[in-house]
Amino acid sequence: MAANPPPGALMALLPKLSDADADIRYMSLNDLDTMLRLNHPNFLLNDYHACAKTVDCLLRTLDDKNGEVQNQAIKCVGSLTQKAPAELFAPMIEKLSTLKTTNSVDNSIPATALRTFLAAFSRPIIGVQPSKATQEAYAALSKVLVPRLVGYIVIPHGIKNQGSPPTGMLEVRNDNTVDHDAIDVLIELVSRFGPMLQDAEKKALQKSTMTIFDHERTSTVAKKKAVAAISLLALYMSDALLSSFISSIIESFNNPHLTPAQHRLLITMMGSLARTVPQRLGRYVKTLAPFILDILSEQEYQTALEDTAENGVTDSEAEEVREAALLALEAFLLSCSNDMRPYTDEAIEAALRFVAYDPNVAENEDDEDMAGIQADRNEEVEADPTEEDEEDFEEEGAMSDDDDASWKVRRCAAKALYAIISTRSNGDLLDNGTLYQKIAPVLIDRFLEREENVRLEVLSTLTALVRKSSDSTMTLFTFAGETEFELTSNVEARSRKRRRLGSDATLFESPIHSLSMSGFKSPNASPPPSSGPRADLARLSSNIIRGVSKLLKQSTLATKQSGIVLLREMVTVQRGGLSEHFTEIANPLIDAINSCTGASSSHSIGSAASATGGRLHIEALQLVSAICDNHSSAIIAPYASSLVPAMTAAVRDKYFKVSGEAIAAVESLVKVLTPPRSGSRGQANRNFVGELYDVVLDRAVAIDADVEVRQRAIHALGVLLARGCESGNGRMLSEAQGRKATVVLLDRLKNETTRLAAVGAIDVFLTSFQDATMIQRDWTQEVALELGAQLRKANRGLRGASLTALRDLVGNAITLDHLNDTTVEELTGMLLPLVSPNDLNFLGTSLVIFSKLVRRSPSRVVTASLNGTLCEIVVAPLAGAVLEALLVLLKVIGEQRVGQQLMHSLLQNVGVNGDPAIVGKAIGTLLVSGGPSVGVKLDDFVTELRSAPDDKRRCLALSVLGEAGLRLGSSSPLKPDVFTKYFSSKSQSLPRAAATALGRAGAGHINSYLPVILSSTSQSGSSQYLSLHAIKEILQFTGQSRADISPYTSQMWEKLLAASQVEDNRAVGAECIGRLTVIEPKTFLPSLRGLLQHATPSVRGMAIQAVRFTLSDSDEAFDEMLQPVLIPMLTAMLNDEDLENRRLALGALNSAMHNKSDMILPSLADLVRLVMKESKLKPELVREVQMGPFKHKVDDGLEVRKSAYETLYTLMEGAYGRISPADLFERILAGLEDEHEIKVLCNLMLSKLVVLDAEETGRHLDSIAERYRSILAFKPKDNAVKQEVEKLQEANKGVLKVTLLLQEIVPGKASSGGQVQSEKWKAYWEWTGKEFKAQLASVEQDVKSQAA
């Protein structure tokens, strides 16, 4: 066919549509469809005759006897619609809507063709002018289709003497039936043209649809479709029309003659509306909720039981009404959670009432729990299966299960409980104990549920409750994109230890490696907290475990899987919890692994609820990992003889996900079986470790194994080496096994697909390697060079892992000794490109490696190239750990007496070109550590200070002398007046440099310097301010220098308080007071707390700042004293009357959450309420200022709100599980309408919530879409300044970025959680795609590049 055939070609095809041969008719229609689709848009625009004839021919083929011909004709309708002139739309609709099929068996063909016609037009986007074709199509639909649907003319459109349309397609026929296909047409009409429909048309369509409900004999299918149509129509109803519609629904509810079927439909409609228009329906919840709850009341429940007992059967219609009511209750709880808060107790009681509703089984009058009589009864049943069968027969005697639909009611009740848990747990019903006191015991009792669908829902609901009980978001490490490793309590505790005693450079030193040392020590069986969700869970753990253990012994795959998931969540949340009951679940768990082994490969892995052997296998292995990671070895070791064979068989499983999960479990089990966690080092444990070693090694080298399996096996091999090759009697692997494994690791290191995994495995091994006979020098040197070669790769993750492994290799004394001079020299060349200020993460680690290499071979490492590179980074703005790592390297270079050339370069090539503070520290460190070998003396810098011609050189000399004084300590010949005489200088930089240098020198020699500095604080003006800076430096380094300042602390406290009364001194004075409080908490913490109640706002403000400094720099002794007073102090600060003090208090709470989260979490709910209070806009703080002829509004509360949102972000990030999602989203939505800075913070919070809780975020898409649309739709004035335009562009870019994240992640997660994607969000997404296409593409590209 030609690319652009003329209209004549179309006319030539039309006769063939009536050919007697069905094949010819089909092929002609196919050619017609191709011609219409591929031709020019104006192909038939001016040929009305050809179009009309084509329509007539297509109508005839729609009534064809051949189904394939009909389907092809329907496709042609859509193609023709896009090419036909607008004048043909109305006749085309008229003919399609009145078409009667006589030859076709399928009566839905006309309606399908109509829907195809409607779908051919682009959907109108709210806020965007519809296209001309869409407007013309709507005009035709309004004239023809709407009257055709309702049966009368709704809008005359100025047409006089217009005849009445035929009977409406939605009207109920004489035989009490309705055209189902007509409802589908209505749904398509509203879906496509809803925003353009006028109120009169919406009202007419709504009334016509509602007539379907009024006829009892219309089919259930028709009524369900009508519910969907009404819900969709409600999206586009005006407030007045929706209010009128709701009022009519309320009248129907009050109708005393309402039949059960009508009752059920009304309730179903309310539930559907709650999901579709939750915000607009929320205002009517107060009226509508009682109608639903009345059906679920205790009275109705008792009546149902009595009727069943009397009649012997349940009322199926009444059961359907209860089911609909519970589904509607779930929808109201999920979609209108804030509006349903007054009905919380009633909703919980109703759901609990009906989750146990089982009229088919005699009610247990005593309602025994799992721990009492019911548990004993179950044990008896297990002992006598015959008795169980007899009891089942007796229970089923009243009514067959096939006739019983009450299980649907119980399942819906469980879903309602799930909705309550998901929406009202965080910072709400979970914290006050309601969920565990009321809901959890009933759910545990329902483990005995006989219907599996209900039982699975019960287990899922209880699992959700347990998951919500976690204290905070767990920190995870991801390995190779798949495996996750938890930070253990050891690592968390390490971060809280005294920080003042160590250098920041330890951040780059080889720490207790989290991947290898996780589980290095058996977790302590710490008691659960005395209060809170975890305490509530601990009280019910016995009942839960006992109930799940019974399910694991005798239930289906699906139930076993759900039970195992529940146990895993319990272990994760409680960080243990199975110690006293492990014997009850151990054998069933091992049986679950063994029962699936070998069969999992034949099953596909579906959703979390899918009941397949493979899925059960994976969940069981994950539970084994969690148990091993969180319980003592003494508890698990007795079952090793059963666990190890099961694990080895699972590792060999053909399905890669099962095998990979098994290898991860093997890692955890190895830590249990090996020292120091395992107290036993006998032959049995050696045999077990040997079996695991063999199977892991086999998977690591297997060519036929999946890449992911090999990667995990390689990492597990590293763990086996680290834990099994301990020197001495603790060795669990032989020397031959160890060397074989190291050869494999080296080989895998050279393989492209397994390189990253091998780097991680080698790193794990080297971290704990202590046996000098284990590896050869050649192996170490080859590994070192191979790791160095990876530093040139483009893969940043590989480079980072290789650099970390190199750090651990040179940090191990044995492997460092294996490196010869040639290897060290080659490594130096490979590392030099990473010594760059452009990447501080790599820079810090590289400097640590160099410091180790310099000790090994100073002359080979300290070359002109390294000296030049160090001079380049000294001039960069370094700080914190990176600067400390640099100073450590310079110290080592000096100690090895190879620093003369470097000192010369620093003095000649750097000098005053860099920051004097940084360069001075570098020179001072090298000067003291190198001594005479560096070629300069301390006196040279004293002379330079006196004779330097400019302030920069003097500042540099002061910095060098201060650093030298710090490092020389009491042996320093420098006196305080060397620095203090420059306090009076008129230079802007020299006095501050002198104060800093004085403090650093004083930290090394307290007795000589501190009295002089304290005397200066009594002076006024700049001397006092500079003295405070000197004290700050001393206090900062006191812990490091081990100096005793106790004789001066009382005097220092008084002088600091006095000096801090001056406004300019307040900030630095507060920092000094805070640091002094940390040093002597017993003396000064009560005094600091008392200052928070001072009558003067400025003093309280200074005290608040001081509290903040105590939080970030503290030790364990201070924490013990701080814990009981921190919450009262924060509460007092947040309730301060002064606005600025409350802003400072918010910053203090932010710092507390970062550094003292364990103290904050128990009282977080009260603190969050205070923060949210400060995040609200307060009109009384907005004032109007006259600026010339213009009036300008000034918001004095903006900074406080900004601090409040920053604090909310921190609290959400660290403890989202303790914050009410409804309250949090309320503040975020309000913030999106606030000032620019707060909008930016709210965007950051949404981007985090997309990951933390996609399901809850999905419920607020409507509200987010409205606010984002208003932000993007805002247009700046023509005379707007450049700053305003840039701010607007930044805001739009942020909105589009979060929009992409929401569209990518939330809708899918929300739909999987039972929610439907919001129509408003869909409309907003289409609008942004059309109006901001270029910007959206640019943002998407930026996101992809950042991810890469």
Side-chain angles (χ1 to χ4, degrees):
M1 182 178 292
N4 292 293
L10 174 67
M11 298 300 292
L13 278 176
L14 297 181
K16 297 180 182 180
L17 301 183
S18 302
D19 195 277
D21 191 339
D23 290 340
I24 294 177
R25 297 197 301 274
Y26 176 83
M27 294 306 299
S28 300
L29 285 169
N30 186 62
D31 292 343
L32 176 61
D33 181 59
T34 304
M35 185 183 300
L36 291 171
R37 283 189 296 105
L38 301 182
N39 225 312
H40 192 272
N42 298 329
F43 172 50
L44 296 174
L45 195 60
N46 298 317
D47 197 340
Y48 183 87
H49 173 70
C51 282
K53 191 168 182 179
T54 303
V55 170
D56 292 337
C57 293
L58 282 178
L59 289 174
R60 287 196 298 271
T61 54
L62 287 173
D63 192 25
D64 199 281
K65 295 179 180 180
N66 188 288
E68 293 184 359
V69 173
Q70 288 179 310
N71 292 336
Q72 193 64 34
I74 290 172
K75 286 181 62 179
C76 289
V77 168
S79 302
L80 178 61
T81 302
Q82 295 177 350
K83 297 292 191 297
E87 295 83 2
L88 200 61
F89 290 164
M92 193 171 178
I93 296 169
E94 179 69 31
K95 291 181 179 182
L96 287 173
S97 62
T98 56
L99 177 66
K100 302 294 183 183
T101 55
T102 57
N103 298 320
S104 173
V105 178
D106 188 357
N107 295 324
S108 66
I109 291 296
T112 306
L114 262 177
R115 289 163 54 198
T116 305
F117 172 85
L118 294 170
F121 298 98
S122 59
R123 189 192 304 269
I125 300 174
I126 299 174
V128 178
Q129 183 70 19
S131 64
K132 183 179 179 182
T134 302
Q135 293 179 8
E136 292 171 339
Y138 166 69
L141 294 170
S142 181
K143 291 177 184 177
V144 181
L145 184 57
V146 174
R148 184 70 186 87
L149 286 170
V150 301
Y152 59 91
I153 298 172
V154 181
I155 301 176
H157 292 286
I159 303 175
K160 297 181 179 180
N161 301 323
Q162 189 173 0
S164 300
T167 302
M169 297 168 64
L170 294 173
E171 291 185 26
V172 180
R173 301 164 184 160
N174 293 332
D175 57 355
N176 289 324
T177 60
V178 70
D179 186 0
H180 301 174
D181 303 316
I183 305 177
D184 292 333
V185 174
L186 170 61
I187 292 173
E188 189 67 38
L189 171 66
V190 177
S191 176
R192 287 284 167 181
F193 293 90
M196 301 182 70
L197 292 174
Q198 299 182 42
D199 281 351
E201 293 169 325
K202 297 171 192 173
K203 187 173 183 179
L205 292 170
Q206 172 238 309
K207 287 184 176 180
S208 295
T209 308
M210 289 300 295
T211 57
I212 299 173
F213 296 108
D214 297 332
H215 289 75
E216 296 183 9
R217 297 184 62 185
T218 53
S219 68
T220 303
V221 175
K223 290 178 178 178
K224 288 183 177 179
K225 288 186 176 182
V227 169
I230 286 291
S231 301
L232 191 58
L233 195 60
L235 277 172
Y236 307 104
M237 288 183 181
S238 63
D239 290 341
L241 187 56
L242 182 62
S243 177
S244 175
F245 174 62
I246 297 295
S247 298
S248 66
I249 296 297
I250 294 171
E251 291 178 7
S252 299
F253 271 119
N254 291 323
N255 183 3
H257 304 294
L258 197 64
T259 65
Q262 292 172 328
H263 206 172
R264 175 174 58 83
L265 286 169
L266 289 173
I267 294 171
T268 302
M269 187 183 301
M270 289 300 98
S272 183
L273 288 175
R275 293 184 179 91
T276 309
V277 285
Q279 286 184 309
R280 300 176 66 192
L281 191 69
R283 68 191 72 166
Y284 304 103
V285 165
K286 186 177 181 180
T287 306
L288 295 173
F291 291 121
I292 298 173
L293 294 171
D294 286 347
I295 301 169
L296 306 173
S297 65
E298 177 66 23
Q299 181 180 354
E300 290 290 331
Y301 177 78
Q302 295 298 334
T303 301
L305 294 179
E306 292 171 3
D307 290 346
T308 303
E310 181 179 349
N311 301 326
V313 294
T314 57
D315 185 347
S316 60
E317 289 188 337
E319 299 283 33
E320 290 177 353
V321 173
R322 296 184 192 105
E323 179 188 358
L326 287 165
L327 286 173
L329 178 62
E330 178 196 8
F332 273 60
L333 290 168
L334 288 173
S335 305
C336 310
S337 55
N338 276 342
D339 301 292
M340 283 294 292
R341 282 178 181 266
Y343 303 97
T344 299
D345 293 339
E346 294 178 63
I348 292 175
E349 291 171 3
L352 291 177
R353 188 178 297 126
F354 282 95
V355 79
Y357 171 70
D358 197 354
N360 199 21
V361 177
E363 184 178 10
N364 190 343
E365 295 178 358
D366 296 330
D367 194 20
E368 302 94 353
D369 58 25
M370 291 289 293
I373 300 172
Q374 187 65 52
D376 297 335
R377 174 183 176 276
N378 286 344
E379 292 173 4
E380 294 171 3
V381 169
E382 290 177 22
D384 189 356
T386 306
E387 181 182 347
E388 179 184 13
D389 294 339
E390 291 173 358
E391 288 182 4
D392 287 345
F393 178 79
E394 292 172 2
E395 290 174 353
E396 296 173 5
M399 176 172 49
S400 169
D401 284 347
D402 294 336
D403 301 326
D404 179 26
S406 64
W407 67 269
K408 297 181 181 178
V409 176
R410 297 195 299 277
R411 184 182 63 179
C412 292
K415 287 178 176 288
L417 290 174
Y418 185 97
I420 293 170
I421 291 170
S422 64
T423 58
R424 297 295 306 280
S425 55
N426 299 12
D428 194 358
L429 300 181
L430 185 62
D431 289 349
N432 64 22
T434 300
L435 297 183
Y436 274 106
Q437 293 170 12
K438 290 187 175 181
I439 295 179
V442 177
L443 292 175
I444 296 170
D445 190 52
R446 294 314 301 169
F447 284 178
L448 300 175
E449 170 63 50
R450 57 193 175 85
E451 179 62 42
E452 186 173 37
N453 286 330
V454 183
R455 189 166 59 245
L456 293 176
E457 201 64 51
V458 167
L459 289 168
S460 175
T461 302
L462 188 57
T463 302
L465 175 56
V466 172
R467 190 179 294 119
K468 290 282 186 179
S469 305
S470 177
D471 281 341
S472 61
T473 306
M474 301 300 290
T475 304
L476 299 173
F477 289 103
T478 301
F479 165 70
E482 293 291 335
T483 309
E484 294 177 340
F485 304 91
E486 284 187 20
L487 274 172
T488 64
S489 57
N490 294 336
V491 178
E492 293 173 354
R494 177 179 177 273
S495 68
R496 294 194 295 267
K497 290 184 179 179
R498 186 170 187 167
R499 300 186 181 98
R500 293 185 294 107
L501 299 180
S503 166
D504 286 341
T506 56
L507 292 174
F508 294 111
E509 292 284 359
S510 179
I512 297 178
H513 200 282
S514 59
L515 300 186
S516 63
M517 306 306 282
S518 174
F520 192 80
K521 182 179 178 183
S522 286
N524 295 323
S526 58
S530 58
S531 61
R534 287 181 57 204
D536 296 333
L537 174 60
R539 284 189 282 270
L540 293 175
S541 290
S542 298
N543 292 350
I544 297 174
I545 295 168
R546 190 176 295 116
V548 172
S549 66
K550 295 182 184 299
L551 294 178
L552 293 178
K553 294 175 183 177
Q554 49 184 302
S555 297
T556 62
L557 284 179
T559 299
K560 289 181 179 180
Q561 176 183 317
S562 297
I564 287 174
V565 171
L566 173 57
L567 289 177
R568 189 191 69 220
E569 293 296 335
M570 287 180 60
V571 172
T572 302
V573 170
Q574 297 183 107
R575 304 181 187 96
L578 299 185
S579 300
E580 298 178 3
H581 307 278
F582 187 65
T583 55
E584 299 179 41
I585 67 164
N587 290 325
L589 178 59
I590 295 171
D591 291 341
I593 298 175
N594 286 328
S595 64
C596 304
T597 302
S600 59
S601 58
S602 62
H603 294 279
S604 62
I605 302 301
S607 65
S610 63
T612 65
R615 188 71 246 176
L616 174 61
H617 207 169
I618 291 173
E619 298 293 355
L621 291 167
Q622 289 177 350
L623 176 56
V624 169
S625 296
I627 291 173
C628 292
D629 291 339
N630 293 280
H631 292 82
S632 170
S633 298
I635 296 171
I636 305 166
Y639 297 91
S641 59
S642 301
L643 264 176
V644 171
M647 303 290 281
T648 54
V651 170
R652 292 190 178 96
D653 196 280
K654 295 180 180 179
Y655 187 56
F656 75 97
K657 287 193 176 181
V658 172
S659 181
E661 202 63 56
I663 293 171
V666 164
E667 284 193 28
S668 299
L669 185 58
V670 165
K671 296 169 188 175
V672 170
L673 298 175
T674 54
R677 273 191 65 177
S678 175
S680 170
R681 304 186 181 188
Q683 189 60 40
N685 275 15
R686 288 189 176 91
N687 293 338
F688 294 146
V689 174
E691 290 181 42
L692 296 175
Y693 166 86
D694 290 338
V695 71
V696 169
L697 185 66
D698 176 69
R699 292 289 86 192
V701 299
I703 301 176
D704 59 338
D706 188 85
V707 173
E708 179 186 338
V709 173
R710 275 184 286 157
Q711 289 175 344
R712 291 198 179 201
I714 290 166
H715 189 272
L717 194 60
V719 174
L720 275 161
L721 281 173
R723 303 300 295 264
C725 294
E726 183 180 336
S727 59
N729 296 328
R731 182 190 292 274
M732 307 298 287
L733 294 176
S734 67
E735 185 174 325
Q737 287 175 316
R739 290 194 175 183
K740 184 177 181 180
T742 57
V743 171
V744 170
L745 290 181
L746 179 58
D747 179 67
R748 296 295 89 190
L749 182 61
K750 298 176 181 179
N751 187 285
E752 186 70 30
T753 58
T754 58
R755 183 170 289 153
L756 180 58
V759 170
I762 290 172
D763 191 15
V764 169
F765 169 50
L766 293 175
T767 302
S768 58
F769 170 65
Q770 298 295 334
D771 188 354
T773 64
M774 189 68 200
I775 58 176
Q776 300 294 325
R777 290 177 177 270
D778 292 343
W779 184 89
T780 306
Q781 294 169 13
E782 193 171 356
V783 166
L785 293 177
E786 193 66 37
L787 290 173
Q790 308 313 314
L791 301 178
R792 303 172 182 173
K793 302 294 184 182
N795 185 330
R796 180 176 175 81
L798 177 60
R799 281 186 289 142
S802 300
L803 191 64
T804 302
L806 265 179
R807 179 200 65 193
D808 293 333
L809 186 146
V810 300
N812 189 305
I814 297 174
T815 51
L816 179 62
D817 185 62
H818 284 181
L819 302 180
N820 57 29
D821 290 345
T822 304
T823 305
V824 170
E825 191 171 355
E826 289 187 45
L827 281 177
T828 300
M830 295 171 174
L831 284 165
L832 274 177
L834 298 183
V835 184
S836 167
N838 296 329
D839 195 325
L840 296 181
N841 289 325
F842 285 176
L843 174 58
T845 307
S846 301
L847 293 173
V848 170
I849 296 173
F850 269 116
S851 66
K852 303 293 184 181
L853 294 178
V854 168
R855 285 194 177 96
R856 176 67 181 82
S857 185
S859 60
R860 296 293 184 114
V861 178
V862 183
T863 61
S865 299
L866 178 62
N867 290 338
T869 303
L870 291 178
C871 289
E872 291 177 4
I873 65 170
V874 163
V875 299
L878 304 180
V882 177
L883 177 57
E884 291 295 332
L886 173 63
L887 297 180
V888 169
L889 174 58
L890 294 173
K891 180 182 177 183
V892 173
I893 291 174
E895 291 172 346
Q896 299 299 319
R897 300 299 186 259
V898 288
Q900 183 174 1
Q901 187 60 42
L902 177 58
M903 176 65 81
H904 181 268
S905 299
L906 288 172
L907 293 175
Q908 297 296 323
N909 302 331
V910 179
V912 295
N913 294 327
D915 183 353
I918 297 175
V919 178
K921 288 180 180 180
I923 295 175
T925 301
L926 187 59
L927 175 68
V928 174
S929 62
S933 67
V934 296
V936 291
K937 297 180 293 184
L938 185 66
D939 292 341
D940 295 335
F941 291 97
V942 175
T943 303
E944 175 74 10
L945 177 61
R946 294 170 181 167
S947 61
D950 57 73
D951 290 343
K952 279 190 175 183
R953 295 183 183 278
R954 290 196 185 98
C955 288
L956 177 59
L958 284 168
S959 181
V960 172
L961 293 173
E963 190 68 24
L966 171 66
R967 295 183 180 275
L968 288 171
S970 58
S971 62
S972 171
L974 300 173
K975 302 298 180 182
D977 60 347
V978 173
F979 307 98
T980 55
K981 64 182 179 181
Y982 294 98
F983 279 14
S984 58
S985 172
K986 295 182 179 179
S987 169
Q988 292 183 352
S989 56
L990 199 57
R992 181 67 177 272
T996 301
L998 175 66
R1000 294 183 74 84
H1005 199 177
I1006 296 294
N1007 294 330
S1008 297
Y1009 280 77
L1010 191 53
V1012 176
I1013 297 172
L1014 288 176
S1015 65
S1016 299
T1017 57
S1018 301
Q1019 303 175 15
S1020 59
S1022 61
S1023 295
Q1024 187 181 59
Y1025 174 77
L1026 295 171
S1027 298
L1028 290 176
H1029 274 282
I1031 292 174
K1032 183 188 77 172
E1033 294 292 331
I1034 290 177
L1035 293 174
Q1036 185 174 353
F1037 289 96
T1038 294
Q1040 210 169 13
S1041 63
R1042 302 293 196 276
D1044 183 15
I1045 64 169
S1046 57
Y1048 307 99
T1049 52
S1050 298
Q1051 181 187 1
M1052 190 185 301
W1053 179 268
E1054 297 299 330
K1055 289 186 175 293
L1056 287 173
L1057 287 180
S1060 299
Q1061 301 299 316
V1062 181
E1063 184 175 357
D1064 292 341
N1065 299 342
R1066 196 164 295 147
V1068 64
E1071 182 175 354
C1072 294
I1073 290 172
R1075 295 187 185 279
L1076 185 58
T1077 303
V1078 174
I1079 294 172
E1080 290 193 11
K1082 291 183 179 179
T1083 304
F1084 299 120
L1085 185 58
S1087 301
L1088 180 59
R1089 187 180 180 187
L1091 291 175
L1092 295 175
Q1093 308 298 327
H1094 199 279
T1096 306
S1098 60
V1099 175
R1100 297 198 304 272
M1102 181 272 298
I1104 293 171
Q1105 293 183 74
V1107 170
R1108 181 178 180 180
F1109 284 109
T1110 66
L1111 299 172
S1112 58
D1113 189 7
S1114 58
D1115 58 21
E1116 292 177 353
F1118 175 75
D1119 287 350
E1120 291 178 4
M1121 292 200 62
L1122 179 65
Q1123 186 161 6
V1125 300
L1126 178 59
I1127 298 301
M1129 289 169 66
L1130 288 172
T1131 303
M1133 292 187 294
L1134 290 169
N1135 286 310
D1136 197 286
E1137 297 177 356
D1138 187 78
L1139 186 66
E1140 176 63 15
N1141 285 351
R1142 293 202 300 274
R1143 184 187 70 80
L1144 295 173
L1146 289 167
L1149 175 57
N1150 200 331
S1151 178
M1153 189 61 201
H1154 279 296
N1155 300 285
K1156 301 286 186 292
S1157 58
D1158 53 337
M1159 300 184 192
I1160 296 296
L1161 289 176
S1163 303
L1164 190 63
D1166 295 331
L1167 296 173
V1168 167
R1169 279 192 287 271
L1170 295 174
V1171 176
M1172 289 187 175
K1173 178 182 175 183
E1174 295 301 327
S1175 70
K1176 296 178 180 178
L1177 178 64
K1178 299 177 181 178
E1180 64 271 17
L1181 296 179
V1182 180
R1183 53 192 173 88
E1184 204 171 63
V1185 178
Q1186 189 78 30
M1187 299 181 65
F1190 305 103
K1191 291 183 178 180
H1192 179 65
K1193 286 187 177 181
V1194 176
D1195 187 355
D1196 293 328
L1198 176 61
E1199 291 302 318
V1200 177
R1201 293 202 307 281
K1202 183 180 176 182
S1203 296
Y1205 275 99
E1206 290 172 349
T1207 306
L1208 268 181
Y1209 179 82
T1210 301
L1211 297 175
M1212 177 199 75
E1213 192 176 31
Y1216 175 70
R1218 295 296 186 87
I1219 303 175
S1220 170
D1223 295 338
L1224 180 61
F1225 273 97
E1226 179 187 352
R1227 299 316 314 146
I1228 291 175
L1229 294 173
L1232 290 175
E1233 297 174 332
D1234 211 316
E1235 298 296 330
H1236 171 74
E1237 296 87 348
I1238 296 177
K1239 288 177 183 176
V1240 172
L1241 288 170
C1242 290
N1243 279 332
L1244 288 174
M1245 295 171 77
L1246 281 175
S1247 64
K1248 180 68 69 174
L1249 283 167
V1250 167
V1251 179
L1252 288 176
D1253 196 345
E1255 186 176 344
E1256 183 65 30
T1257 307
R1259 297 186 189 114
H1260 298 272
L1261 285 180
D1262 267 353
S1263 304
I1264 296 171
E1266 290 176 2
R1267 286 154 180 82
Y1268 274 3
R1269 183 189 289 270
S1270 64
I1271 294 173
L1272 294 175
F1274 179 78
K1275 303 296 181 184
K1277 297 179 181 179
D1278 294 337
N1279 59 349
V1281 297
K1282 182 180 179 181
Q1283 184 180 5
E1284 292 179 353
V1285 175
E1286 290 176 349
K1287 187 182 291 186
L1288 182 62
Q1289 290 174 349
E1290 181 187 353
N1292 289 351
K1293 186 176 181 179
V1295 166
L1296 292 174
K1297 183 176 181 180
V1298 181
T1299 297
L1300 281 171
L1301 292 174
L1302 291 169
Q1303 177 63 22
E1304 180 180 356
I1305 298 176
V1306 173
K1309 292 278 186 73
S1311 61
S1312 65
Q1315 300 295 302
V1316 294
Q1317 186 176 355
S1318 165
E1319 290 293 328
K1320 283 189 177 180
W1321 176 263
K1322 288 167 66 177
Y1324 162 74
W1325 174 249
E1326 292 175 359
W1327 175 71
T1328 51
K1330 184 174 182 179
E1331 295 294 310
F1332 297 89
K1333 185 176 181 180
Q1335 297 96 314
L1336 205 60
S1338 175
V1339 170
E1340 187 173 11
Q1341 187 63 35
D1342 290 345
V1343 171
K1344 289 181 179 179
S1345 61
Q1346 290 174 5

